[in-house]
Amino acid sequence: MSPSLPTKDGTWLSSWEPENPSFWEGRGQRLAWRTLWITTYTLTLSFIVWFMVSAIVVKLPGVGFRFTTTQLFWLTAMPGLAGGTLRILWTFLPPILGTRHLVTFSTLLLLIPVLGWSYAIQNPDTPYWALLLLAFLAGIGGGNFSGFMPSTSYFFPKRLQGSALGIQAGIGNFGVSVVQFLTPWVVGFALFASGIVNLGNPQNFTAKNGLSSPIWLHNAALVWTLFILIGAGLAWAFLKSVPVRANFREQFDIFRDKHTWIMTSLYLATFGSFSGFSAVFALLIRQLYGRFEGAPDPLALAFWGPLVGSTVRVIFGFLADRLGGARLTQLSTLGMLLSAVGMSFFVNPSSLEQFPYFVGFMLLLFFFAGIGNASTFKQMPMIFEPRKAGGVIGWTAAVAAYGPFFFSLTLAAIIARIGHPTAFFYGVAGFYAINFFLNWYFYARRGAEKPC
C-alpha cells in the first residue's frame, strides 16, 4: 500500500475520493482495479459453489440415489432459497465489516458446502434431508454477491461503475458455466493417484441406456477446495476497506424510496431469469427431451446458457456506460418477453426435432437477460448516492437470487400437474411486459422522473 493511502489497523483507508480526478489518476485507480480483480475471482468461486448442486443433481440417479423429479427440483431450488435469504444479510455487511474482512471470511465459508457435498454423495444411502441441508448451504455462494458487488462499487467513480460492475458480475456469472462445463470432465478420473492420496473411491454410474462406467462424483465439489483457499489468502493479503460506514438501522432508508422497489422488480426480471434458468436448464433438457431416443446429455449443453448470459453482461457493462442503462433495459425486457413466448411452443415436444428450437430460444433468453443484468447495475449508481446505491445493489441482488428457488419449484409443480411447463413461460412473459413498462415510464422515456 502506498504511504499516500494510509490505513487504520491495516484495513480501513483514511479517505477515498474516486470522483476527484487527481486522486483517481494518481492513487485511486490502482487499488480499485486490484480490488476488482480479486473480488471477481472470489465471486466466480462463489457462483461455482452456488450452482454446483445443479450440475451434481442430474448425475445422482445414475449412482443409486432414488429421488423423484420433484425431489430433484427441490435440490436445485434450495441454493436459490438460501442465496436470496443470505443476500439480504450480506447486503448490509459492506459498511459494517469492510471489503477486506467480508471477502476473506465469506470466501472461507464456501469450504462448508464443498467439503460436505464431496463426502455426502459418495454414499447413496445419505438421507434426502442431509442433501437438502447441503444444497441450502451451497447458497452461501449466492449470498456473497450482495456483499462483494456493493463493496466494489465504492471504489469506482460513477462514470466507470457500469464497466466495473459489468466485469465483476459478468465474469462472476461465468462460474455457473464453469461448474456445469467442468463437472462432466472432473468426475471422470481420480484427482490424485490412489496410491498417493485417496480422496474417495469411484462409484458405478448407470446411464439410461443401461451402460455402466466408473465415476468420481465427489470430485464435482472437492476440486474447488484449493482455489477457495487461494482466494481467501489473496483477499486477506491485498484488499483494503473504504471509509463508508453505516449500521443496520441507518441502511434501512433505501426501503422508503420507491425506486428501490422498481429496480428490484427489474433486476428480478433480468438476473432472476439468468439464475433461475441456469439452475433448471439441465433438468429441463432431461425432463422434456430425455425420453426420446438419442437424447442429448443435459450437461453437455446446459453450460451454454449461463456462458452466453455472462459474456453479454461483461460486454454490455461497457456499452451501458456509453449508451445509458435505461435504453438497454428496454431492449432486455422486450427481448426476454419475445423469447419466452417463443419458448412456449417447444416445451411440450413430440419429437427430438424440436430440440434445437428449444435450445435456441433458451439461449436468446440468456442473451437478453445478460443485457439487463449489466444495464440495471448501471442505472442504480445513477439513481442513488453511493452508500444507498451499494445497499440497493445488494438488496435487488438478494431478491433476484430467489430465481433458482422460484423457477425450480414452480416448474416442478406445473410439470407434475399438467406434464409440461407451457404455462410457466406465459407467466414470465407477462412479468417481462410489466417491467418493460416500468422501465420506460420511470427511466427511459422523454421526461422520465429519473433518466439514466
Side-chain angles (χ1 to χ4, degrees), residues 7-12 100-101 240:
T7 62
K8 178 182 179 182
D9 300 328
T11 296
W12 291 93
R100 185 190 189 201
H101 289 89
K240 303 298 176 185

Side-chain angles (χ1 to χ4, degrees), residues 396-431:
T396 57
V399 176
Y402 285 112
F405 179 73
F406 290 135
F407 278 46
S408 296
L409 292 193
T410 305
L411 282 166
I414 292 175
I415 292 173
R417 185 175 180 84
I418 61 177
H420 57 84
T422 305
F424 175 83
F425 288 93
Y426 289 155
V428 294
F431 183 58

